[in-house]
Amino acid sequence: MTSPLLKRPGAVAAEPPDADIAAHYGEPAQEQRALDRSCGWVDRSNRGVVRVSGPDRLGWLHSLTSQFLDGIAPGTATEALVMDSKGHIKHHLSLVDDGTAVWAHVEPGTAEELARFLDSMRFMLRVEVEDLGSTRGVVTLAGPDREARLADVAGLVEDVPVRRATDEIDLFVPVERLVEVTDALTEAGARPAGLWAYEARRIAAHRPRLGFDSDHRAIPHEMGWVGSAVHLEKGCYPGQETVARVHNLGRPPRRLVMLHLDGTAERLPERGAALELDGRAVGVVGSSARHHELGPIALGLVKRTVPVDADLTVDGIAAAQEVIVSPDTGANAKIELRRRPN
């Protein structure tokens, strides 16, 4: 679905898979500043939306995902992963329970697959799974004034599910009301901000995006999702064996880094381009953006053994590392071997 907000003055479409929403509305640097210093709203209506209702929903999702969801309080925003049996990440869910149903948004084009998987796992439980990607669109409010701007339009969104994360608010808005709600937010003082601004902020916050900063082999420890999206003190779920093995005994083969790129190159690297150390490929670059304060930045996956102070290059651009996932991640179990007495 192409967002109706692409018809706003100055809107420029983003690149696939985000081509249905705006990259910016004519002033990307100012849009970034609004997200950091006051308040902006971001059209993320291309995100997939899945709703799970029914009295058994929390315990059921608890058993299928990496997050502790059984008995979670209404309004609690969290993240969860769906993995295969080998611990490879299939879906990253940003979710909230509203007391009646769990609302989750996922990467564009993946909601149908997620809903199909969940539906296949219902068995005799009292749950209903709905793919609402064509009827609900995510609008994200960010910035220190976000709660005030939401309060300004409270009467208009009182029936809209709200997910309050640490530094932003997601609204699951009916598609036919996207224009009405965002116009009201704009009138209240929230600035329209495109995906370029949001992505620069996300990268600077060290938050990876599934499929952009990961590949089909990615496991949670590599991506820094242990803690935020993976609960280490819960029962069995698909992929738990890999998570427990790495956490207790091993090290992840790769680690997520933020890259500070040489701004004199006047270009950003292509996603998937090789990260090199002394002419040898040691990883790949993922998302990249121009940050209004930090300059050009990116996320990348590198081999765990790459020294943290090594200067890398990507597509001929110098790249300095900022550690996100430590090379020492994992191997937390202390095993002492004792000799048998003679």
Side-chain angles (χ1 to χ4, degrees):
M1 177 201 74
T2 300
S3 173
L5 301 178
L6 268 178
K7 296 179 180 179
R8 289 188 65 89
V12 175
E15 296 180 357
D18 299 310
D20 290 333
I21 59 174
H24 61 86
Y25 296 95
E27 297 180 310
Q30 289 86 339
E31 293 166 23
Q32 278 192 51
R33 292 188 184 96
L35 296 183
D36 283 348
R37 301 174 185 177
S38 54
C39 180
W41 60 260
V42 183
D43 178 16
R44 302 173 72 205
S45 60
N46 64 327
R47 300 277 295 173
V49 175
V50 173
R51 180 178 185 268
V52 181
S53 57
D56 296 330
R57 66 189 182 282
L58 292 176
W60 178 64
L61 288 172
H62 178 91
S63 70
L64 293 175
T65 73
S66 61
Q67 189 56 268
F68 199 107
L69 298 175
D70 197 8
I72 191 171
T76 303
T78 189
E79 303 171 58
L81 305 177
V82 172
M83 293 178 279
D84 65 18
S85 60
K86 295 182 179 180
H88 298 144
I89 305 164
K90 309 305 264 183
H91 298 279
H92 173 247
L93 289 69
S94 299
L95 58 86
V96 66
D97 186 83
D98 67 1
T100 302
V102 172
W103 293 79
H105 62 80
V106 294
E107 287 298 327
T110 65
E112 182 179 358
E113 177 189 352
L114 174 62
R116 185 166 55 245
F117 165 73
L118 292 175
D119 205 46
S120 73
M121 302 298 290
R122 286 192 309 157
F123 304 116
M124 300 298 290
L125 294 174
R126 297 169 298 170
V127 293
E128 295 293 333
V129 180
E130 300 171 87
D131 174 4
L132 299 181
S134 61
T135 60
R136 294 276 176 163
V138 175
V139 173
T140 297
L141 281 170
D145 300 335
R146 60 189 180 279
E147 287 287 357
R149 299 293 77 77
L150 181 60
D152 289 337
V153 300
L156 189 60
V157 296
E158 59 185 356
D159 60 340
V160 172
V162 177
R163 178 181 180 270
R164 285 179 167 86
T166 303
D167 61 349
E168 58 192 38
I169 300 171
D170 295 328
L171 307 176
F172 295 82
V173 181
V175 168
E176 66 274 13
R177 291 170 55 194
L178 283 171
V179 172
E180 179 186 20
V181 169
T182 54
D183 280 351
L185 286 168
T186 304
E187 186 174 344
R191 179 168 190 149
L195 192 66
W196 282 5
Y198 183 85
E199 290 289 273
R201 183 173 177 274
R202 174 183 67 81
I203 293 168
H206 298 175
R207 298 203 303 262
R209 185 174 172 186
L210 187 66
F212 281 63
D213 306 305
S214 66
D215 58 22
H216 68 283
R217 297 182 292 117
I219 60 176
H221 278 89
E222 294 178 329
M223 307 307 301
W225 271 324
V226 174
S228 61
V230 177
H231 198 290
L232 292 173
E233 299 178 7
K234 58 165 288 185
C236 295
Y237 58 90
Q240 185 199 20
E241 184 176 339
T242 295
V243 171
R245 185 168 61 248
V246 173
H247 182 71
N248 292 312
L249 302 175
R251 307 281 191 198
R254 301 174 297 179
R255 58 185 179 86
L256 187 71
V257 296
M258 190 172 97
L259 302 167
H260 293 269
L261 304 171
D262 181 2
T264 63
E266 297 184 354
R267 70 182 189 281
L268 295 173
E270 292 288 332
R271 190 167 72 244
L275 281 162
E276 298 182 344
L277 174 61
D278 298 329
R280 177 173 54 93
V282 294
V284 294
V285 73
S287 308
S288 60
R290 298 188 186 278
H291 193 275
H292 70 103
E293 292 180 338
L294 300 175
I297 55 176
L299 295 178
L301 266 181
V302 300
K303 294 180 179 179
R304 182 181 62 83
T305 53
V306 173
V308 296
D309 58 353
D311 289 328
L312 309 176
T313 59
V314 56
D315 193 22
I317 305 169
Q321 298 180 68
E322 182 175 326
V323 175
I324 299 176
V325 174
S326 168
D328 297 324
T329 293
N332 290 285
K334 305 300 182 184
I335 301 175
E336 295 183 4
L337 299 179
R338 298 181 179 179
R339 288 186 177 182
R340 290 183 180 180
N342 292 332

